[in-house]
């Protein structure tokens, strides 16, 4: 089997010139590039990826830590990363954790072993103190705000978006507002949602907050619980348009009219929300993923805030 030295000899160039051609280096004359490419074709040469990575000093592979898929937020961020990876000719490895701290740290060891150039974190189980040491081995980018200088981030101001969402519902005349979340109070975003609720409405009635909502089915279950309370909420802010769709389905199944009897606000501007006319808070998570990719490939510790918008439809 031919190796890089054989290619250099056949093409009449140096080994370093062959390496530059293999790595698409622009500082190679067209004549030498053509000679190397001809020799590669004649000798049916396939580059050893590990050797090329070693020469280049990078793998052009990015890992994306994602707790689980089939979740509107994580899927949209991953979608953004994949958009840019195709454009820039990078490979992406998905690293599912199910919020297992040890599994998450095992993935970070891939940076230490030079199997990945960088890792993008869509959501994490470990605290930053456990993660920061791995920034010595590669770039770590967060999809949430962090003030740690070692870590770049593309993020949305979640707390501000929650305050605006609750204020939007209140301004529409809704005084009793319930909401759903994916995780419980162990989640930073859930704590931010609770704090935003208290800022707008005051004390949170315990029955007005339902965690563990990820899907249409979960939304239906949440609707069934919320809409039979003695003090039935006038509006529900769901943590995703799928969840909002389930609440909408249950509401109409008991002959409630949306938005006259119940206002529904979703999140992340998904197709189901567009089809059902559900108002939504769009955190532009695809753009978050795209900017996180840019930061990772530029090895940047920059902090980039992505704006959110409230899209009004017929459900409020």
């Amino acid at each position: 089997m031919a190796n890089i030295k054989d290619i250099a000899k056949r093409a009449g160039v140096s080994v370093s010139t062959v390496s530059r051609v293999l790595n698409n280096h622009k500082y190679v004359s067209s004549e030498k590039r053509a000679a190397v490419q001809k020799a590669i074709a004649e000798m049916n040469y396939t580059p050893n990826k590990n050797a090329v990575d070693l020469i280049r000093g990078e793998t052009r592979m990015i890992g994306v830590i994602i707790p689980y898929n089939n979740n509107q937020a994580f899927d949209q961020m991953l979608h953004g990363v994949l958009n840019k990876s195709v454009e820039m000719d990078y490979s992406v490895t998905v690293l599912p954790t199910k919020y297992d701290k040890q599994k998450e740290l095992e993935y970070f060891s891939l940076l230490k072993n030079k199997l990945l150039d960088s890792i993008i974190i869509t959501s994490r189980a470990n605290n930053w103190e456990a993660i920061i040491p791995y920034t010595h081995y590669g770039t770590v980018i967060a999809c949430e705000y962090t003030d740690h200088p070692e870590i770049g981030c593309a993020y949305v101001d979640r707390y501000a978006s929650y305050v605006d969402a609750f204020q939007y519902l209140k301004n529409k005349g809704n005084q009793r507002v319930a909401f759903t979340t994916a995780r419980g109070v162990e989640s930073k975003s859930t704590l931010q949602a609770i704090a935003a609720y208290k800022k707008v409405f005051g004390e949170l009635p315990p029955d007005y907050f339902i965690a563990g909502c990820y899907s249409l089915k979960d939304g239906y279950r949440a609707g069934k619980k919320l809409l039979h309370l003695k003090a039935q909420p006038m509006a529900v802010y769901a943590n995703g348009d799928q969840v909002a769709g389930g609440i909408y389905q249950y509401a109409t199944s008991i002959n409630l009219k949306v938005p006259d009897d119940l206002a529904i606000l979703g999140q992340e501007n998904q197709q189901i929300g567009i089809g059902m006319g559900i108002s939504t808070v769009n955190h532009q998570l695809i753009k978050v993923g795209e900017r996180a990719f840019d930061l990772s490939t530029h090895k940047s510790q920059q902090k980039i805030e992505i704006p959110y918008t409230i899209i009004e439809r017929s459900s409020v």
Side-chain angles (χ1 to χ4, degrees), residues 22-24 49 53 56 58-62 81-92 117 293 297:
L22 291 173
N23 287 285
N24 296 314
K49 184 181 182 301
D53 291 345
R56 188 167 54 199
E58 60 179 11
T59 65
R60 296 186 73 82
M61 292 188 65
I62 293 174
V81 173
L82 293 173
N83 281 349
K84 296 292 287 188
S85 70
V86 172
E87 180 183 323
M88 302 301 295
D89 194 29
Y90 272 74
S91 297
V92 173
D117 294 335
F293 177 91
T297 55

Side-chain angles (χ1 to χ4, degrees), residues 183-204:
R183 300 171 71 199
V185 294
E186 74 279 6
S187 164
K188 179 182 176 181
S189 62
T190 297
L191 293 175
Q192 289 174 326
I194 293 171
Y197 183 97
K198 290 179 178 179
K199 179 179 176 66
V200 176
F201 292 108
E203 197 58 38
L204 171 63

Side-chain angles (χ1 to χ4, degrees), residues 148-181:
H148 291 288
E150 303 93 336
I151 296 175
C153 58
Y155 69 97
V156 178
D157 188 337
R158 288 274 182 168
Y159 174 72
S161 78
Y162 295 149
V163 170
D164 283 350
F166 287 128
Q167 191 64 54
Y168 166 70
L169 292 172
K170 185 176 182 180
N171 291 347
K172 292 290 186 177
N174 301 292
Q175 296 300 319
R176 299 190 306 276
V177 176
F179 65 98
T180 66
T181 66

Side-chain angles (χ1 to χ4, degrees), residues 98-114:
K98 294 187 178 179
Y99 286 115
D100 183 307
K101 290 185 176 182
Q102 186 56 44
K103 173 63 70 175
E104 191 173 272
L105 293 180
E106 288 174 9
Y107 288 142
F108 279 107
S109 69
L110 298 176
L111 285 179
K112 188 174 182 179
N113 294 325
K114 305 301 181 185

Side-chain angles (χ1 to χ4, degrees), residues 11 30 36 42 52 72 99 111 148 164 183-184 249 283 305:
S30 57
V36 170
E42 290 175 348
V52 173
Q72 57 271 2
Y99 286 115
L111 285 179
H148 291 288
D164 283 350
R183 300 171 71 199
Q249 284 185 328
H283 289 117
E305 182 175 353

Side-chain angles (χ1 to χ4, degrees), residues 105-280:
L105 293 180
E106 288 174 9
Y107 288 142
F108 279 107
S109 69
L110 298 176
L111 285 179
K112 188 174 182 179
N113 294 325
K114 305 301 181 185
L115 297 176
L116 296 171
D117 294 335
S118 62
I119 286 180
I120 295 171
I121 309 169
T122 63
S123 187
R124 61 192 165 87
N126 285 279
N127 58 33
W128 288 122
E129 286 66 31
I131 294 171
I132 286 172
Y134 292 93
T135 61
H136 295 296
Y137 307 109
T139 305
V140 177
I141 302 297
C143 293
E144 64 176 287
Y145 179 75
T146 172
D147 58 5
H148 291 288
E150 303 93 336
I151 296 175
C153 58
Y155 69 97
V156 178
D157 188 337
R158 288 274 182 168
Y159 174 72
S161 78
Y162 295 149
V163 170
D164 283 350
F166 287 128
Q167 191 64 54
Y168 166 70
L169 292 172
K170 185 176 182 180
N171 291 347
K172 292 290 186 177
N174 301 292
Q175 296 300 319
R176 299 190 306 276
V177 176
F179 65 98
T180 66
T181 66
R183 300 171 71 199
V185 294
E186 74 279 6
S187 164
K188 179 182 176 181
S189 62
T190 297
L191 293 175
Q192 289 174 326
I194 293 171
Y197 183 97
K198 290 179 178 179
K199 179 179 176 66
V200 176
F201 292 108
E203 197 58 38
L204 171 63
D207 292 336
Y208 275 22
F209 161 50
I210 298 181
C213 293
Y214 302 92
S215 65
L216 196 75
K217 183 179 179 180
D218 294 331
Y220 194 90
R221 171 181 55 81
K224 191 172 184 179
K225 182 175 181 180
L226 291 170
L227 300 180
H228 290 284
L229 292 173
K230 185 175 181 180
Q232 180 180 301
M234 302 166 70
V236 180
Y237 175 27
N239 59 301
D241 289 344
Q242 287 273 355
V243 177
I247 295 169
Y248 197 120
Q249 284 185 328
Y250 186 76
T252 57
S253 77
I254 58 172
N255 298 316
L256 293 180
K257 294 182 179 179
V258 177
D260 296 341
D261 300 322
L262 179 71
I264 301 174
L265 179 63
Q267 204 169 263
E268 310 318 349
N269 195 33
Q270 292 184 293
Q271 291 299 313
I272 187 173
I274 296 170
M276 297 180 73
I278 297 173
S279 299
T280 191

